[in-house]
Amino acid sequence: MTLNTTKKVYFVAGARPQFIKLAPVLRAMRSYDLDVRLIHTGQHYDFNLSDIFFEDLDMPEPAYNLAVGSGAPHEQYSLIIHRLGEIFSECRPDLVVVVGDTNSTGAAAVCTAIHRLPLAHIESGLREWNKSIPEEINKMLTDTVTDLLFCPTPTAVANVQELSLRGNVYHTGDPGLDLVFGYMNQPVQPSAYLSGLKLPPQYIYATSHREANTNSKASLESILKIMTGLGYPVVWPMHPRTTAAIEHYGLQDYLSHPDLIVIEPIGFWDSQFLLQHSKCVITDSGGLIKEAYCHGKYVIIIDHQTEWVEVLQEGKGVVCGPELNNVLKYIDHLPSTETPNTALGDGQSSEKIARIIYDFVNSPELREKCLHTKK
Ligand code: UD1
């Protein structure tokens, strides 16, 4: 009888930004003799928040779908921990890999830890130092129990050092940007949906879906005032959370403003197309902040802070809060963004991550070290 010694590496993801970061890593993993599986938590389930990225980015079908759906954070956490735990009990992967800072990330990390399995975290070490942000809780929980900390930026590395986290630290860059670097200088073809919209020649690409901006009428109305008060057309692919909140607070009148072009949530390539042709970007999304930076588009952040501090340090973006008057100060005087933007990654992050994963699962010494709870 021959024993199957191929190591099992299970990736867990469930929300839109996670698919973008995982797609190039899963592609890089194909070069290694490993049993790689993707577990979809089902946190995002709409075609435009999930399947479209599998199609756009040629991702493998998930081996499992936990189908947790929408719900309060404690509901998403408990369902993920329960359903993932059953898979872990049966299969005992040699390494679990989580990505980003969503509820799927935090819940999968906790589940991995209680099953005493080794854990890697892609996008480790980012902090906003503010516990009122749901993603910050997921970051804190995840990094505490992570064995392989894949940090996207020098600031993230400095943060994990300051926090004295016990895992092995690697400065890998952001793998989601490998895709952007790969195609940045080539014109992207829009989908039939996007071409059918006949967008104006000059527009601002905008998004907003953060809880802080959508969970009160006052903050959401401030966002809508920005999107309709700039004197430029604004193209806004709207997250279902935002659409539901606008309806809930009775703010639909803003949507008929002539400058506002609200569209369906879009896939990866349509988003790159909008970026390439935009005047600038206005957003509270971490993913779009990074991609705008790579494309050399100035980004106005309609949030009170960002973990992507390199963008601010290099003068490629500004934090304006959800305040129209702050945004207006910049919109007609956008600073130049022409120098190369590589502080968040060099296009090789996925290759680095795949290699480290392969070496880890094949090293009994490194795996043994995971049991140590102090450095
Ligand atoms: C989550 C992440 C956020 C990430 C975002 C990307 C957390 C805490 N937040 O926020 O960091 O930037 O994903 O989109 O995990 N909904 C749908 N269809 C779906 C999924 C959600 O309509 O396929 C609606 C539901 O009304 C749901 C709401 O969006 O209640 C919020 O979804 P949820 O997954 O809880 O958080 P996001 O706002 O998407």
Side-chain angles (χ1 to χ4, degrees), residues 77-89 92-93 96 98 105-119 141-142 144-147 166 370-371 373:
Y77 257 70
S78 59
L79 285 174
I80 291 171
I81 291 173
H82 178 71
R83 294 178 185 168
L84 196 54
E86 287 180 347
I87 297 170
F88 287 169
S89 298
R92 304 290 304 167
V96 178
V98 297
T105 316
V110 171
C111 186
T112 305
I114 60 183
H115 281 262
R116 287 165 286 137
L117 295 167
L119 177 69
L141 289 172
T142 303
T144 309
V145 291
T146 294
D147 302 295
R166 48 166 279 285
C370 288
L371 300 172
T373 53

Side-chain angles (χ1 to χ4, degrees), residues 170-197:
Y170 304 91
H171 180 199
T172 58
D174 185 298
L177 298 182
D178 293 1
L179 294 166
V180 182
F181 282 119
Y183 292 89
M184 200 167 53
N185 296 320
Q186 297 166 29
V188 176
Q189 290 308 314
S191 69
Y193 168 68
L194 206 58
S195 345
L197 294 172

